Amino acid sequence: MKQIILNIHYLDQQKAIEGIAKQLDAVGFQVVCDESILPLPSEIGQGTFRGINFPNGLGLFTLEATFKQPIKMVYKTEKVAPVRFFTCVKGKVIQQLPASESFYELNPVVGNICALPKNKIMELIFPADTLVRWVMLEIDRKDYYEKVKCDLKDMPDNLADILRDTKGDEQILRMGKYGIELGENAREIFSPRYEGVARKKFLESKTIEQMAIHIRHFQDVEDAYKGDFTLSEYDLAQIQQVTQIIVDDLQEVPTIPDMAKLVGLNESKLKRGFKLVYQFTIGKYIRKKRMEAARHLLLSNTMSIKEVAEEVGYSNASHFSNRFRNEYGVLPREIIKNGLHKVYTS
């Protein structure tokens, strides 16, 4: 099946998507509150390219699409190449570096941080007949360095060195099983719940959060490798099963030893791997999910506080109320008494 090749030479997200529109002979390109939007022509597939520039050299590019034939996006710039953070939320994407004859498969459990020397080419290949949700953050190193140069001492050394490299001489490519948290945050970027300036601010906040998660996982993975601790694809799949076991029955969550037996991992690997993937201990994750479920039930305004507490696994309503206040800053009774459910759901 013949590929469609799209050449991208711009760091500016609007110019990049305008260039894609011209190469596809696409109509419908528009800019809404600084967000560039390009629906795919029906003969190419179904979906949308989106991109937006934020202050200090930060940009967001997203793609949600099913293509009728493979698409190859070829990135090359004569200027300093940006630092790019990739998250494949759904489907898969192949990253190729022709200069080194290397290629990598990016999927929903693999993250990637990439910065190439100037004039080097990077290719991204999106398969046909597969729904892909793709998030790419780009940092213009020259602009961004001025903002963060005082904070680089707190970043992982390899990443800090790349951000200092405003001439674009060095290369970094870090692949890793960066955890489910990246995907969960990235999925929110595709949410249609905001419009106008609210959407712009929402996208900016989620972009910064996504980059922060990447950086934190980068350090965690570096530390894990130093300690000779790695997770296989099987380990990741079993850890994901644990989250499902937890949310399936918040009233009677199994003990950690029992969960380890259910998913076929030893207890130590389960606890350490869970923390690496989700940035929470299993206990904190259980409390988080119980509070989220309790909040949802309280907002429905159909159950008493005692009933909500029991539904999410608390036999003591007073203990539940204190936990809820620690999480959300208000007691459950304040939501019911003051009609705060109306505020929370607006």
Side-chain angles (χ1 to χ4, degrees):
M1 187 180 295
K2 185 178 179 181
Q3 288 182 336
I4 296 175
I5 298 176
L6 301 174
N7 293 293
I8 300 172
H9 304 286
Y10 300 103
L11 298 182
D12 182 280
Q13 302 302 317
Q14 180 173 333
K15 290 181 179 179
I17 293 181
E18 282 180 324
I20 292 172
K22 290 178 182 178
Q23 292 174 74
L24 294 177
D25 292 325
V27 296
F29 171 81
Q30 59 179 322
V31 179
V32 179
C33 203
D34 295 331
E35 183 181 15
S36 300
I37 303 170
L38 177 65
L40 275 178
S42 58
E43 64 271 19
I44 302 297
Q46 184 175 4
T48 308
F49 291 98
R50 293 177 181 265
I52 187 169
N53 302 301
F54 302 114
N56 304 113
L58 187 61
L60 170 67
F61 177 96
T62 68
L63 171 63
E64 182 174 26
T66 302
F67 296 107
K68 292 184 176 180
Q69 56 196 97
I71 298 286
K72 178 189 285 188
M73 298 174 64
V74 181
Y75 286 83
K76 181 181 180 182
T77 176
E78 295 178 359
K79 297 181 180 180
V80 176
V83 179
R84 295 183 171 105
F85 299 79
F86 301 135
T87 309
C88 184
V89 182
K90 190 173 182 61
K92 68 177 182 179
V93 180
I94 303 298
Q95 179 189 29
Q96 292 188 162
L97 305 176
S100 61
E101 299 183 346
S102 301
F103 71 92
Y104 310 89
E105 180 178 312
L106 308 178
N107 58 54
V109 297
V110 174
N112 183 312
I113 300 176
C114 178
L116 300 178
K118 56 187 174 184
N119 295 320
K120 296 295 183 181
I121 293 175
M122 178 189 71
E123 299 172 344
L124 298 174
I125 300 174
F126 299 84
D129 303 318
T130 301
L131 175 61
V132 173
R133 292 193 181 98
W134 172 255
V135 175
M136 179 174 70
L137 316 184
E138 290 192 335
I139 296 177
D140 184 322
R141 284 183 264 188
K142 287 185 177 180
D143 288 347
Y144 199 72
Y145 175 71
E146 293 302 317
K147 179 181 180 181
V148 302
K149 58 184 178 183
C150 293
D151 303 319
L152 293 181
K153 64 182 184 299
D154 299 320
M155 286 189 181
D157 291 341
N158 289 343
L159 186 56
D161 289 344
I162 288 296
L163 291 173
R164 291 188 187 101
D165 178 24
T166 56
K167 294 183 179 180
D169 295 326
E170 301 299 325
Q171 172 175 312
I172 186 172
L173 176 63
R174 247 341 155 265
M175 303 282 296
K177 298 179 178 71
Y178 280 78
I180 312 305
E181 187 184 14
L182 271 175
E184 290 181 344
N185 188 71
R187 272 190 288 275
E188 294 187 30
I189 292 174
F190 293 95
S191 168
R193 57 184 166 167
Y194 295 104
E195 296 180 353
V197 68
R199 175 170 173 80
K200 181 178 178 180
K201 292 303 179 183
F202 170 76
L203 289 175
E204 184 175 8
S205 68
K206 298 309 292 184
T207 298
I208 293 170
E209 184 177 359
Q210 189 76 354
M211 184 174 66
I213 297 170
H214 264 289
I215 292 171
R216 189 176 66 218
H217 277 285
F218 183 101
Q219 184 63 67
D220 288 344
V221 170
E222 293 280 295
D223 292 344
Y225 283 136
K226 288 176 185 176
D228 197 29
F229 176 75
T230 59
L231 294 173
S232 68
E233 296 288 344
Y234 172 81
D235 296 334
L236 277 169
Q238 302 313 100
I239 288 170
Q240 285 180 272
Q241 279 192 36
V242 168
T243 65
Q244 193 61 50
I245 290 169
I246 291 169
V247 299
D248 279 348
D249 189 358
L250 290 171
Q251 281 187 320
E252 300 287 344
V253 177
T255 64
I256 292 175
D258 285 344
M259 283 192 280
K261 291 176 183 176
L262 285 169
V263 300
L265 296 177
N266 70 59
E267 188 177 339
S268 175
K269 173 164 273 193
L270 173 59
K271 290 193 290 187
R272 192 173 177 187
F274 194 97
K275 180 68 165 58
L276 178 63
V277 170
Y278 287 98
Q279 299 300 303
F280 291 104
T281 64
I282 295 174
K284 286 185 178 180
Y285 186 87
I286 292 169
R287 289 194 292 274
K288 177 175 180 284
K289 290 302 178 183
R290 280 176 164 164
M291 290 301 102
E292 288 175 357
R295 179 176 176 272
H296 175 76
L297 292 170
L298 288 167
L299 295 181
S300 70
N301 207 28
T302 59
M303 299 174 69
S304 70
I305 293 172
K306 184 175 184 297
E307 289 171 332
V308 170
E310 291 175 348
E311 184 69 19
V312 298
Y314 288 88
S315 58
N316 186 311
S318 177
H319 181 53
F320 161 72
S321 293
N322 287 332
R323 286 284 191 193
F324 192 88
R325 180 174 57 185
N326 290 340
E327 183 72 19
Y328 294 113
V330 295
L331 289 166
R333 68 169 181 266
E334 294 178 83
I335 293 179
I336 296 172
K337 179 180 178 181
N338 299 318
L340 291 179
H341 63 283
K342 296 177 182 177
V343 176
Y344 276 75
T345 55
S346 62

Coordinates of all heavy atoms in Angstrom, one line a residue, residues 294-295 298-299 301 303-306 317 320-344:
A294 N -16.6 8.3 45.6 CA -17.5 9.0 46.6 C -17.9 10.4 46.1 O -19.1 10.7 46.2 CB -16.7 9.1 47.9
R295 N -17.0 11.1 45.5 CA -17.4 12.4 45.0 C -18.5 12.3 43.9 O -19.5 13.1 43.9 CB -16.1 13.1 44.4 CG -16.4 14.5 43.7 CD -15.1 15.1 43.3 NE -15.3 16.3 42.6 CZ -15.5 16.5 41.3 NH1 -15.6 15.4 40.5 NH2 -15.7 17.7 40.8
L298 N -21.8 11.5 45.7 CA -22.3 12.7 46.4 C -22.9 13.7 45.4 O -23.9 14.4 45.7 CB -21.2 13.3 47.2 CG -20.8 12.6 48.5 CD1 -19.5 13.1 49.1 CD2 -21.9 12.6 49.5
L299 N -22.2 13.9 44.2 CA -22.7 14.8 43.2 C -24.0 14.4 42.7 O -24.8 15.2 42.2 CB -21.7 15.0 42.1 CG -20.3 15.6 42.5 CD1 -19.4 15.7 41.3 CD2 -20.5 17.0 43.2
N301 N -26.4 13.2 44.4 CA -27.3 13.7 45.4 C -28.5 12.7 45.6 O -29.6 13.1 45.9 CB -27.9 15.1 45.0 CG -28.3 15.9 46.2 OD1 -27.8 15.7 47.3 ND2 -29.3 16.8 46.0
M303 N -27.8 9.7 47.6 CA -27.4 8.7 48.7 C -27.0 9.6 49.9 O -26.5 10.7 49.8 CB -26.3 7.8 48.3 CG -26.6 6.9 47.1 SD -25.1 6.0 46.5 CE -24.9 4.9 47.9
S304 N -27.2 9.0 51.1 CA -26.8 9.6 52.3 C -25.2 9.5 52.4 O -24.6 8.6 51.7 CB -27.4 9.0 53.5 OG -26.9 7.6 53.7
I305 N -24.6 10.2 53.3 CA -23.2 10.2 53.5 C -22.8 8.8 54.0 O -21.8 8.2 53.5 CB -22.7 11.2 54.5 CG1 -22.9 12.6 53.9 CG2 -21.3 11.0 54.9 CD1 -22.7 13.8 54.8
K306 N -23.6 8.2 54.9 CA -23.3 6.8 55.4 C -23.3 5.8 54.3 O -22.5 4.9 54.2 CB -24.3 6.5 56.5 CG -24.0 5.1 57.2 CD -25.0 4.9 58.3 CE -24.7 3.6 59.1 NZ -24.8 2.4 58.3
A317 N -18.3 6.4 59.0 CA -18.6 7.6 58.2 C -17.8 8.7 58.6 O -17.4 9.6 57.8 CB -20.1 7.9 58.4
F320 N -14.5 8.4 56.9 CA -14.7 8.7 55.5 C -14.7 10.2 55.3 O -14.1 10.7 54.4 CB -16.0 8.0 55.0 CG -16.5 8.6 53.8 CD1 -15.9 8.4 52.5 CD2 -17.6 9.5 53.8 CE1 -16.4 9.0 51.4 CE2 -18.1 10.0 52.6 CZ -17.5 9.8 51.4
S321 N -15.5 10.9 56.1 CA -15.6 12.4 56.0 C -14.3 13.1 56.1 O -14.0 14.0 55.4 CB -16.6 12.9 57.0 OG -17.9 12.4 56.8
N322 N -13.4 12.6 57.1 CA -12.1 13.2 57.2 C -11.2 13.0 56.0 O -10.5 13.9 55.5 CB -11.4 12.7 58.5 CG -12.1 13.2 59.7 OD1 -12.6 14.3 59.7 ND2 -12.0 12.5 60.8
R323 N -11.3 11.8 55.5 CA -10.5 11.4 54.2 C -11.0 12.3 53.1 O -10.2 12.8 52.3 CB -10.7 10.0 53.9 CG -10.0 9.0 54.7 CD -8.5 9.0 54.4 NE -7.9 7.8 55.0 CZ -6.6 7.7 55.0 NH1 -5.8 8.6 54.5 NH2 -6.0 6.6 55.6
F324 N -12.3 12.5 53.0 CA -12.9 13.3 51.9 C -12.4 14.7 52.0 O -12.1 15.4 51.0 CB -14.4 13.2 51.9 CG -15.1 13.7 50.7 CD1 -15.3 12.9 49.6 CD2 -15.5 15.1 50.6 CE1 -15.9 13.4 48.4 CE2 -16.1 15.6 49.5 CZ -16.3 14.7 48.4
R325 N -12.5 15.3 53.2 CA -12.0 16.7 53.4 C -10.5 16.8 53.1 O -10.1 17.8 52.5 CB -12.3 17.1 54.9 CG -11.8 18.6 55.1 CD -12.3 19.0 56.5 NE -11.7 18.1 57.5 CZ -12.0 18.2 58.8 NH1 -12.9 19.2 59.2 NH2 -11.5 17.4 59.7
N326 N -9.7 15.9 53.4 CA -8.3 15.9 53.1 C -8.1 15.9 51.6 O -7.1 16.6 51.1 CB -7.6 14.7 53.7 CG -7.5 14.8 55.2 OD1 -7.6 15.9 55.8 ND2 -7.2 13.7 55.9
E327 N -8.9 15.3 50.9 CA -8.8 15.2 49.4 C -9.3 16.4 48.7 O -8.7 16.9 47.8 CB -9.5 13.9 48.9 CG -9.4 13.7 47.4 CD -8.0 13.2 47.0 OE1 -7.2 12.7 47.9 OE2 -7.7 13.3 45.8
Y328 N -10.5 16.9 49.1 CA -11.2 17.9 48.4 C -11.4 19.3 49.1 O -11.9 20.2 48.5 CB -12.6 17.4 47.9 CG -12.5 16.3 46.9 CD1 -12.9 15.0 47.3 CD2 -12.0 16.5 45.7 CE1 -12.9 13.9 46.4 CE2 -11.9 15.4 44.8 CZ -12.3 14.2 45.1 OH -12.2 13.1 44.2
G329 N -11.0 19.3 50.4 CA -11.1 20.6 51.1 C -12.4 20.9 51.7 O -12.6 22.0 52.3
V330 N -13.4 20.1 51.5 CA -14.8 20.3 52.1 C -15.2 18.9 52.6 O -14.8 17.9 52.2 CB -15.8 20.8 51.0 CG1 -15.4 22.2 50.6 CG2 -15.9 19.8 49.8
L331 N -16.1 19.0 53.6 CA -16.8 17.8 54.1 C -17.9 17.4 53.2 O -18.5 18.2 52.6 CB -17.3 18.0 55.5 CG -16.2 18.2 56.6 CD1 -16.9 18.8 57.9 CD2 -15.6 16.9 56.9
P332 N -18.2 16.1 53.2 CA -19.3 15.6 52.4 C -20.6 16.3 52.7 O -21.4 16.6 51.8 CB -19.4 14.1 52.7 CG -18.0 13.7 53.1 CD -17.5 14.9 53.8
R333 N -20.9 16.6 54.0 CA -22.1 17.2 54.4 C -22.3 18.6 53.8 O -23.4 19.1 53.6 CB -22.3 17.2 55.9 CG -21.4 18.1 56.6 CD -21.8 18.3 58.1 NE -20.9 19.2 58.9 CZ -19.9 18.7 59.6 NH1 -19.6 17.5 59.6 NH2 -19.1 19.6 60.2
E334 N -21.1 19.3 53.6 CA -21.1 20.7 53.0 C -21.6 20.6 51.5 O -22.3 21.5 51.1 CB -19.8 21.3 53.1 CG -19.3 21.6 54.5 CD -17.9 22.2 54.5 OE1 -17.8 23.4 54.4 OE2 -17.0 21.4 54.8
I335 N -21.2 19.6 50.9 CA -21.7 19.4 49.5 C -23.2 19.3 49.4 O -23.9 19.9 48.6 CB -21.0 18.2 48.8 CG1 -19.5 18.5 48.6 CG2 -21.7 18.0 47.4 CD1 -18.8 17.3 48.0
I336 N -23.7 18.5 50.3 CA -25.2 18.2 50.4 C -25.9 19.4 50.9 O -26.9 19.9 50.3 CB -25.5 17.0 51.2 CG1 -24.9 15.7 50.5 CG2 -27.0 16.8 51.4 CD1 -25.0 14.5 51.3
K337 N -25.5 20.0 52.1 CA -26.2 21.1 52.8 C -26.2 22.3 51.9 O -27.2 23.0 51.8 CB -25.5 21.3 54.1 CG -26.1 22.5 54.9 CD -25.4 22.7 56.2 CE -26.0 23.9 57.0 NZ -25.3 24.1 58.3
N338 N -25.0 22.7 51.3 CA -24.9 24.0 50.7 C -25.1 23.9 49.2 O -24.9 24.9 48.4 CB -23.5 24.6 50.9 CG -23.3 24.8 52.4 OD1 -24.2 25.3 53.1 ND2 -22.1 24.5 52.9
G339 N -25.6 22.7 48.7 CA -25.8 22.6 47.2 C -24.6 22.7 46.4 O -24.6 23.1 45.3
L340 N -23.4 22.3 47.0 CA -22.2 22.4 46.2 C -22.1 21.4 45.1 O -21.3 21.6 44.2 CB -21.0 22.2 47.2 CG -20.7 23.3 48.2 CD1 -19.5 22.9 49.1 CD2 -20.4 24.6 47.5
H341 N -23.0 20.4 45.1 CA -23.0 19.5 43.9 C -23.3 20.3 42.6 O -22.9 20.0 41.6 CB -24.1 18.4 44.1 CG -25.5 18.9 44.2 ND1 -26.0 19.5 45.4 CD2 -26.5 18.9 43.3 CE1 -27.3 19.8 45.1 NE2 -27.6 19.5 43.9
K342 N -24.1 21.4 42.7 CA -24.4 22.2 41.6 C -23.1 22.9 41.1 O -22.9 23.1 39.9 CB -25.5 23.3 41.9 CG -26.8 22.6 42.3 CD -27.8 23.7 42.7 CE -29.1 23.0 43.1 NZ -30.1 24.0 43.5
V343 N -22.3 23.4 42.0 CA -21.1 24.1 41.6 C -20.1 23.1 41.0 O -19.5 23.3 39.9 CB -20.4 24.7 42.8 CG1 -19.1 25.4 42.5 CG2 -21.3 25.8 43.4
Y344 N -19.9 21.9 41.6 CA -19.0 20.9 41.2 C -19.3 20.4 39.8 O -18.4 20.0 39.0 CB -18.9 19.7 42.1 CG -18.0 19.9 43.3 CD1 -18.4 20.8 44.4 CD2 -16.8 19.3 43.4 CE1 -17.6 21.0 45.4 CE2 -15.9 19.5 44.5 CZ -16.3 20.3 45.5 OH -15.5 20.5 46.6

